[in-house]
Each structure stands twice: as structure tokens, then as C-alpha cells.
Amino acid sequence: MEQHEQVTIAEYQLTAEAFRAGTWEHDVSQNRDSLVRFLPKNPGKILDIGCGPGRDLVAFKQQGHTVVGLDATPAFVEMAKQVSGCEVWQQSFLSLDLPGETFDGIFANASLIHVPRTEMVRVLEDLQRSLVPHGAIIMSMCRGDSEGYSARPTGYRYVCGWEYETLAPCVEAAGFEIVNHYYRPPGVRFEAQSWLVIVGRKTAIGKD
């Protein structure tokens, strides 16, 4: 595991309970709905990568989807299993071991922000291979052009910011067609929208 992953996971592990309390009520239904809209079948099988404590696993399961979680932080894996009753895998983004052509959709909500810029295409290719033909992915990414360690009172998280113009080529290079993109939170001026959301669909041929 890369050092930046170890540092980031350690910070999440230390603050897992506070993170759950602080994020459980965040409304990301816009992102969940955007993924479901482009699933090749509904309900479908969804991989929630970077599932954290399991908030969105619960929401997708209540909608009738089959959901599998994935997270690198041990505390989050246990939390997510307990609260959702779903299968949850402990894996890091740079060392994914996913079954091929299994998922109708991948939900990556504020998780791939921890992938270095130089590794993004490779990670997206790993995810693309795990999708069925025409499967969909949604990525919610923090905006900006900075990359590196973000200091917290309890440690550091490695974070990479993106804009549409820099991320879209990576998404397309990994074998996706971009079918939608928007900015969050809704209802505020563009400069205050700190999140970029991209929805991609696996191309018919894809990448082997």
C-alpha cells in the first residue's frame, strides 16, 4: 500500500465515529438518483466504492438494489456491514481486485478524491472492467487543481482536486462515455460549488 494511502486510512480510522456523525445526514440523493437514471437495469447491482460508514448502502438497498460496499478503512468496513447488512470488501483504490462485468453501476461519492492524478486512468480502468456492458459510474470530486496532503487536527488526508476539463479526458481514456455532469451543492453560485460530478457509461466495446 502506498504511503499516502496509509496516512489517509489512518486518519479515517482514528476519526471514524466523528466522520459517521458528521456525514450521515448529508443529502446526496441527487447523486444516487443520477446513477440510477443511467443503470442498464433498475433495480441493479451497485458497487459503492469508498462506502464509508454505509449511509448510501442503506439508501440504495431501500430502493431495492443489490449493493456491495468497498472501503480501505477497517472501522468503516465494520460499520457499513452492521448498519446495512450488505457485503463490504476491504480494499484500497490502488489495489482493487474486482470481478469482471458484475456491476450495473458504481457509486464513487467523494472517494476517488484520494487517488493521485497519475493513477486516475488506471483506477478507472479497473472499475470499468467490473461493469456490465453499458454500466454506469458516478464520481463526485472536489474541485480545484491542488494535489497533496490536507492537514486535519487528527492527521492528514491525501486529496486531489479536479475540474471538468482535466478529469473528463481521464474518464474517456478509461473507456467511458460521459453522459452527464453537474456541480454541487445546488442553488449556489458557480464559484461556491465545490464539487464536480461526472456520470459515465461504459462504452459498447470497452477496454479489456
Side-chain angles (χ1 to χ4, degrees), residues 5 23 27 70 78 80 96 102 122 131 135 143 155 162 173 177:
E5 291 183 304
T23 62
D27 182 6
L70 184 151
E78 291 306 313
L96 292 171
T102 298
R122 180 176 70 83
L131 286 169
R143 293 180 61 195
W162 297 85
E177 169 197 8

Side-chain angles (χ1 to χ4, degrees), residues 89-150:
W89 303 335
Q90 185 176 334
Q91 297 184 26
S92 76
F93 300 153
L94 299 188
S95 304
L96 292 171
D97 182 17
L98 303 176
E101 295 195 354
T102 298
F103 300 101
D104 298 293
I106 293 175
F107 190 69
N109 190 81
S111 55
L112 298 182
I113 62 174
H114 302 304
V115 174
R117 202 173 299 275
T118 56
E119 298 288 345
M120 182 57 73
V121 173
R122 180 176 70 83
V123 171
L124 288 175
E125 287 175 342
D126 288 343
L127 296 175
Q128 192 259 20
R129 284 189 287 268
S130 75
L131 286 169
V132 302
H134 306 292
I137 184 172
I138 189 164
M139 309 165 58
S140 178
M141 309 291 284
C142 55
R143 293 180 61 195
D145 58 5
S146 62
E147 179 177 6
Y149 290 100
S150 172

